[in-house]
Amino acid sequence: MANNQWYIGMTEDAIRQRVVREARELLGIKEGTAGHKRIVDGYNSLKKLPRGYKLKYTDAWCAATMSYIGITLGIPHVILPEVGCGPMIELYKKAGRWEERDDYVPEPGDLVMYDWDAKKGECTGAPDHVGMVESVKGKIITVIEGNYDNRVKRRDICVEYVKVRGYCLPDYAGLVQRFTDVEPGAWYADEVARAAQLGLMEGVGGGLFEPDRPVTRGELAAVAVRLYEKLKE
């Protein structure tokens, strides 16, 4: 299992590509094989199983495949784990990360929810299946899906495909660390990230914050001015 700090110093695009690369590693896995068992067992390794449900080897496993990618990479707080498509949508809705506009163009790493019974103009049915966007070229979206004909394989769809119920949007941007020398577990990490997000602090350049370096009076004055300007907005 990957260390959950592998993304330090990476851009959002690089993080998305790393996630997609993990999905590609699963291509070809068939139901009933050791790879399939690894996905199921990986999902069941969660300390707290969503809805308390332990996945069986005989269950549908498309959502579990998406969840497994997040678990393997150590980011289940970003690729939100579930084994049911409907409950998975509810998780992303609660997080404000659900998109169901027909003309939405997804990005690599987004999750596609399908409703096989949907007709043009409908966007209210129950989801049946889920996969991860691998790439988008023009109007063609390539998706990697678990439990597609009982294996992990690709599917090509088009933007505004009528069977798309909507998209779950993992918050990869939230993983981006502005400063590579601020450890995620440090007591001040959240405050530094918030200050940078608000534009109050910019670090010393080169992606560094130097948290143990003494602050100069000039730097304090600059922060005070920026805070004053922010409060006037």
Side-chain angles (χ1 to χ4, degrees), residues 2-191:
N3 185 286
N4 62 4
Q5 296 180 23
W6 55 264
Y7 47 83
I8 291 177
M10 296 174 69
T11 64
E12 179 183 349
D13 182 64
I15 291 170
R16 286 178 177 274
Q17 292 303 324
R18 176 65 184 87
V19 170
V20 167
R21 190 160 70 248
E22 196 70 25
R24 289 193 188 110
E25 291 294 321
L26 305 178
L27 284 166
I29 287 177
K30 299 179 182 179
E31 187 171 309
T33 65
H36 171 237
K37 184 176 184 293
R38 187 171 70 250
I39 290 172
V40 174
D41 292 346
Y43 178 82
N44 289 335
S45 71
L46 286 169
K47 291 183 179 180
K48 185 176 181 181
L49 290 170
R51 297 179 292 132
Y53 184 77
K54 185 175 182 179
L55 189 65
K56 303 181 182 67
Y57 296 128
T58 53
D59 287 335
W61 48 288
C62 59
T65 303
M66 303 300 102
S67 301
Y68 174 77
I69 294 168
I71 294 167
T72 298
L73 291 174
I75 53 171
H77 58 298
V78 175
I79 303 177
L80 307 178
E82 245 298 345
V83 292
C85 292
M88 181 176 278
I89 287 177
E90 292 306 311
L91 288 177
Y92 282 92
K93 282 184 175 180
K94 185 176 180 180
R97 307 294 302 178
W98 169 249
E99 177 60 72
E100 57 184 36
R101 288 187 295 114
D102 291 341
D103 62 349
Y104 177 74
V105 179
E107 297 182 70
D110 288 348
L111 306 184
V112 186
M113 283 287 178
Y114 300 97
D115 175 6
W116 300 132
D117 298 321
K119 297 177 181 178
K120 189 172 183 179
E122 293 181 349
C123 198
T124 58
D128 302 304
H129 190 60
V130 61
M132 177 176 286
V133 174
E134 179 183 20
S135 64
V136 181
K137 297 179 181 178
K139 292 286 187 177
I140 302 300
I141 305 168
T142 300
V143 187
I144 296 175
E145 303 168 13
N147 201 28
Y148 175 5
D149 292 339
N150 298 321
R151 67 184 65 197
V152 182
K153 58 188 294 189
R154 291 182 172 96
R155 183 196 310 270
D156 285 337
I157 62 174
C158 61
V159 176
E160 298 190 59
Y161 177 46
V162 68
K163 302 299 183 182
V164 170
R165 175 66 180 81
Y167 296 90
C168 297
L169 310 178
D171 184 16
Y172 299 117
L175 290 175
V176 176
Q177 282 193 251
R178 188 182 296 264
F179 306 116
T180 59
D181 58 348
V182 176
E183 293 294 329
W187 63 267
Y188 51 81
D190 289 344
E191 287 74 14

